[in-house]
Amino acid sequence: MRRRKLAWGGADLVVLAWVAFPVWWIVALSFKDPSTITDGSFWPTKWTLQNYEGIFKTSQFLLALRNSIGIAVISTVVAVVFASLAAYAIARLRFPGKKVLIGVSLLIAMFPQISLVTPLFNIERVIGLFNTWGGLIIPYIAFGLPFAIYTLAAFFREIPWELEKAAKVDGATPMQAFVRVVAPLAAPGVATSAILVFVVTWNEFLLAISLTSTTASRTVPAALAFFTGASQFQNPIGSIAAAAVIITIPIVFFVLFFQRRIIAGLTSGAVKG
Amino acid sequence: MSTITLDHVTKRFPDGAVAVNDLSLDIGDSEFCILVGPSGCGKSTTLNMIAGLEDISDGELRIDGQVVNDKAPKDRDIAMVFQTYALYPHMTVRENMAFALKLAKVPREVINQKVEEAARILDLVPHLDRKPANLSGGQRQRVAMGRAIVRNPKAFLMDEPLSNLDAKLRVQMRTEVSRLQRRLGTTTVYVTHDQTEAMTLGDRVAVLRGGFLQQFGTPKELYENPANLFVAGFIGSPAMNFMAASLEDNHLRSPLGEVPLSDRLRRALEAANVERQVIMGIRPEHFEDAALVASQPERAGVFFSATIDVVESMGSDVYVYFSLEGARANAAELEELARESGSAELSSAAETVVARLDAATAVREGEQARLWFDPAKVQVFDPRSGRNLCLAV
Ligand SMILES: Nc1ncnc2c1ncn2[C@@H]1O[C@H](COP(=O)(O)OP(=O)(O)O)[C@@H](O)[C@H]1O
Ligand SMILES: [Mg+2]
């Protein structure tokens, strides 16, 4: 018994170290003084907040952060709202073309994005979407929808059909049944898919670098590539590391905050069980 | 306080399956009506049509004389108890029971009062603020009932509400449901596949088979005068015994000997103008140990001998089993019933007969016994249509 525990604990430690190493490396880098940034040491020898102060002094990072937040939030909200409707239909209704819909959304999820970069670039330039928020939000919604539909459909399927019937017999309109019974039970699913879409959008680099050209719409992952550091002549690695740490914070926050809700699931006890 | 009328109601699903076929039922005010039949016979579909959860393909559904075919469930003022209970898992017991009243915009004090009253009736007071997940099966079942009764609706619809409980609790709740229904006097349509539940609970019982109504009547009518082989075999436990028999001039030649026909039966059979081959049915309790009947010479009847295979003593009664070689009755209905009960030993030509004897009997396993039965209780069926020929007057 104890030996099994030890073995598990050891395995956990290995996995944890493996995963945490790059994260720690970036964090360490972000606190290193520019003069020691290339020393390759695991622990900063000269601690400094200079890198963080630096990125907030110029507008470059702040503008990118604003773009990132705006674009990710809008894409997520729109994708999750539409995905909820689609997923509900997929889980609950029989309609012609259902299989096709599922197939197409699967296809989109699998599609190699790199092959779309050039066509998207040309289309967006022609219709004036290039280097705008819309130019990123639209493809992000398109790529976020399949993920969201999949996770949400799985959650909706878990909600017993009879709960809705019960609500209807209890006097609810279809809308009331959805809002008061289905939606609260699907909340963990909505949160899960929202986080998924948000994380993917927030981290997206390929389209962000290809479809933007100025700080008007450049998101943080793309902007990092254009960082110059606190001064023109400084090595920007410290600043990039600091910015990377900052944009990781919301992701960590989301996961920690919603983890319990996501895992718990709310439907237990609905049926005889 | 309502009547429910199904007038030639048919349900055709989009895939072409006809789940309910031309069903007509007239359910009276305060009546406890049971829909019973093997699984897949259309009971739930019928109930869902009454609730408004399924569209009616053909025919009319009237509640209190008003056609409600096109009314949404919420406008029918009907409460339903589901087999899985369908409690709202994110709401407490109190909120579950109050949900319908809240939607109906009933004032808060009235809601509280009604919920507390229902909780008292159903013994749920200590659990009002708990979530369904933390309740036992029996408690969940009572919450589902509570959700129905707080509304004081026109009718209760219950779809196998007790089938998820263990045997003991089921019997207990059965009595509870019956008492509740009498007390509230609410018209109730209750679906079950269990004939015991049907017989004990129902004012009237509708037997369905493959979407068709077989018979609608009081439990006593169904038991004593089943309309056909299916009802005869479905109602009663242990089931009625069936055996092949042939019609002679004024008696029935059966594997149990010659059965004299009463005048009534002879007239009925003449009127029905049937062929000679028929199926004879006799219930287990209409047999008796010949030794015990001999002391009562006024009880005329048929005596026969059989080798007893099994004796089961129940204390108050004794069930004995014996087989009759080559007496197997063949009919589609009987095959379906055998499949339903899982006793599909179709290859054997022997028919096992069950007889219920008085506890004083001395018959023993493996020995020849002399038995008696009452010919007046014998039912005769047409093997092709399954019709009960005794009723064809
Ligand atoms: N949505 C549906 N589409 C097609 N056929 C259905 C549907 N629902 C039920 N059926 C069929 O209708 C018949 C009756 O079903 P049901 O009323 O649920 O039976 P019961 O409740 O008596 O067991 C069954 O044969 C079933 O397969
Ligand atoms: Mg059913």
Side-chain angles (χ1 to χ4, degrees):
Chain A
M1 196 63 213
R2 173 170 308 162
R3 275 178 63 172
R4 266 189 52 187
K5 257 190 189 154
L6 274 176
W8 274 110
D12 286 349
L13 274 180
V14 170
V15 171
L16 199 66
W18 187 275
V19 175
F21 173 74
V23 179
W24 170 249
W25 191 251
I26 287 283
V27 173
L29 270 181
S30 73
F31 286 109
K32 282 180 181 175
D33 188 84
S35 58
T36 63
I37 208 137
T38 52
D39 65 0
S41 76
F42 207 63
W43 193 259
T45 44
K46 263 172 85 180
W47 287 80
T48 176
L49 286 176
Q50 201 182 329
N51 295 318
Y52 289 91
E53 284 161 11
I55 57 171
F56 283 105
K57 253 188 220 130
T58 65
S59 63
Q60 215 178 4
F61 178 71
L62 286 176
L63 286 173
L65 200 57
R66 184 201 63 185
N67 292 337
S68 267
I69 293 171
I71 289 171
V73 167
I74 294 173
S75 308
T76 304
V77 170
V78 176
V80 169
V81 167
F82 281 104
S84 298
L85 302 178
Y88 185 75
I90 285 174
R92 281 287 192 265
L93 310 176
R94 290 187 207 180
F95 55 90
K98 179 162 146 179
K99 286 229 166 75
V100 176
L101 179 72
I102 298 174
V104 167
S105 68
L106 190 66
L107 195 71
I108 294 172
M110 303 268 186
F111 214 84
Q113 300 196 357
I114 187 83
S115 62
L116 287 175
V117 168
T118 313
L120 272 177
F121 177 76
N122 287 328
I123 292 168
E124 294 204 349
R125 284 229 299 205
V126 171
I127 62 176
L129 275 174
F130 180 73
N131 197 32
T132 63
W133 278 23
L136 283 181
I137 287 172
I138 291 169
Y140 284 174
I141 290 172
F143 287 113
L145 268 175
F147 279 115
I149 289 175
Y150 270 110
T151 41
L152 278 168
F155 271 87
F156 280 130
R157 262 192 281 270
E158 287 294 303
I159 299 174
W161 210 175
E162 294 201 328
L163 288 182
E164 254 171 287
K165 293 189 186 171
K168 281 189 196 165
V169 175
D170 269 348
T173 61
M175 196 61 199
Q176 281 173 321
F178 186 82
V179 170
R180 294 205 183 206
V181 174
V182 178
L185 294 176
V190 174
T192 308
S193 54
I195 290 168
L196 268 176
V197 175
F198 186 88
V199 169
V200 169
T201 314
W202 184 257
N203 292 338
E204 205 282 332
F205 177 72
L206 182 64
L207 296 179
I209 195 99
S210 317
L211 301 177
T212 60
S213 59
T214 67
T215 52
S217 62
R218 204 177 269 148
T219 58
V220 175
L224 289 182
F226 294 91
F227 262 27
T228 51
S231 78
Q232 284 284 329
F233 310 102
Q234 217 173 21
N235 188 332
I237 287 181
S239 312
I240 291 174
V245 169
I246 286 177
I247 66 160
T248 309
I249 289 171
I251 305 287
V252 173
F253 166 80
F254 271 145
V255 172
L256 290 182
F257 189 76
F258 285 110
Q259 192 180 33
R260 200 164 276 278
R261 249 177 105 70
I262 293 165
I263 294 168
L266 262 170
T267 57
S268 62
V271 295
K272 52 172 177 131
Chain B
M1 314 302 115
S2 297
T3 62
I4 299 172
T5 308
L6 286 87
D7 196 352
H8 298 283
V9 167
T10 294
K11 175 66 191 184
R12 220 172 285 108
F13 282 108
D15 62 1
V18 179
V20 177
N21 213 322
D22 196 27
L23 176 63
S24 293
L25 294 175
D26 224 322
I27 302 163
D29 189 17
S30 299
E31 189 171 14
F32 199 139
C33 170
I34 310 272
L35 301 181
V36 69
S39 102
C41 70
K43 307 178 298 287
S44 297
T45 308
T46 305
L47 208 64
N48 286 338
M49 284 193 288
I50 299 175
L53 295 169
E54 292 277 7
D55 291 331
I56 295 169
S57 315
D58 254 320
E60 245 179 32
L61 172 68
R62 292 189 290 273
I63 298 178
D64 278 341
Q66 265 196 326
V67 180
V68 294
N69 284 38
D70 297 324
K71 276 199 178 176
K74 71 183 180 63
D75 301 320
R76 296 191 185 190
D77 191 19
I78 266 175
M80 189 152 170
V81 178
F82 294 84
Q83 183 174 7
T84 58
Y85 312 146
L87 304 179
Y88 311 120
H90 55 303
M91 301 182 193
T92 62
V93 170
R94 183 190 300 278
E95 288 165 339
N96 262 282
M97 295 208 268
F99 186 66
L101 298 175
K102 258 191 211 151
L103 288 175
K105 304 224 159 48
V106 174
R108 181 182 293 270
E109 315 83 69
V110 181
I111 294 182
N112 279 339
Q113 182 211 327
K114 286 193 169 186
V115 168
E116 308 250 323
E117 188 190 331
R120 217 172 17 251
I121 294 173
L122 292 166
D123 229 352
L124 286 169
V125 177
H127 309 298
L128 273 176
D129 295 308
R130 297 171 74 190
K131 293 266 178 71
N134 304 324
L135 300 178
S136 72
Q139 288 164 344
R140 285 180 204 180
Q141 210 286 328
R142 293 210 296 278
V143 177
M145 302 287 294
R147 207 165 55 174
I149 68 174
V150 289
R151 292 177 46 195
N152 195 16
K154 282 188 179 159
F156 294 141
L157 306 181
M158 306 192 188
D159 192 349
E160 312 210 13
L162 307 183
S163 64
N164 282 325
L165 300 176
D166 60 53
K168 193 163 163 232
L169 206 51
R170 187 153 59 222
V171 173
Q172 217 173 312
M173 278 310 291
R174 196 168 75 200
T175 323
E176 200 65 33
V177 169
S178 176
R179 189 160 35 206
L180 206 58
Q181 200 271 345
R182 302 261 175 271
R183 172 172 173 176
L184 300 169
T186 308
T187 311
T188 302
V189 185
Y190 183 108
V191 162
T192 178
H193 64 263
D194 177 354
Q195 64 89 23
T196 318
E197 251 174 52
M199 297 297 281
T200 49
L201 282 175
D203 291 328
R204 276 196 299 167
V205 179
V207 183
L208 295 175
R209 172 184 173 228
F212 289 93
L213 179 65
Q214 303 292 300
Q215 191 170 3
F216 185 35
T218 64
K220 194 171 151 69
E221 276 165 18
L222 298 192
Y223 192 79
E224 291 180 353
N225 298 309
N228 57 35
L229 271 176
F230 185 80
V231 177
F234 192 79
I235 300 290
S237 176
M240 185 184 277
N241 299 294
F242 297 106
M243 58 205 81
S246 64
L247 217 46
E248 307 283 327
D249 282 342
N250 55 1
H251 64 264
L252 203 55
R253 185 187 297 282
S254 84
L256 300 179
E258 289 186 359
V259 182
L261 297 174
S262 66
D263 283 348
R264 188 183 69 90
L265 193 49
R266 190 167 33 236
R267 270 200 309 279
L269 293 176
E270 269 163 20
N273 188 25
V274 284
E275 293 184 26
R276 290 162 57 93
Q277 294 305 316
V278 293
I279 291 175
M280 178 175 113
I282 180 160
R283 293 209 181 267
E285 65 268 30
H286 296 138
F287 288 96
E288 193 48 273
D289 184 342
L292 299 173
V293 181
S295 57
Q296 307 160 288
E298 73 279 7
R299 291 177 74 175
V302 179
F303 291 86
F304 65 98
S305 295
T307 308
I308 305 301
D309 297 327
V310 179
V311 175
E312 286 173 358
S313 178
M314 298 292 180
S316 55
D317 306 296
V318 175
Y319 287 105
V320 301
Y321 297 76
F322 54 93
S323 37
L324 297 174
E325 257 344 294
R328 176 152 219 107
N330 289 309
E333 273 120 324
L334 295 182
E335 275 166 34
E336 186 178 335
L337 285 166
R339 270 199 306 280
E340 184 67 19
S341 64
S343 62
E345 5 72 293
L346 289 167
S347 53
S348 147
E351 182 68 42
T352 299
V353 177
V354 190
R356 195 180 85 191
L357 309 181
D358 193 278
T361 181
V363 301
R364 285 211 227 112
E365 257 171 47
E367 288 184 7
Q368 190 85 4
R370 193 139 177 83
L371 301 178
W372 167 94
F373 70 89
D374 182 355
K377 300 290 186 351
V378 163
Q379 310 268 358
V380 182
F381 301 91
D382 180 344
R384 279 185 306 176
S385 68
R387 216 153 42 92
N388 185 348
L389 298 169
C390 307
L391 301 179
V393 183

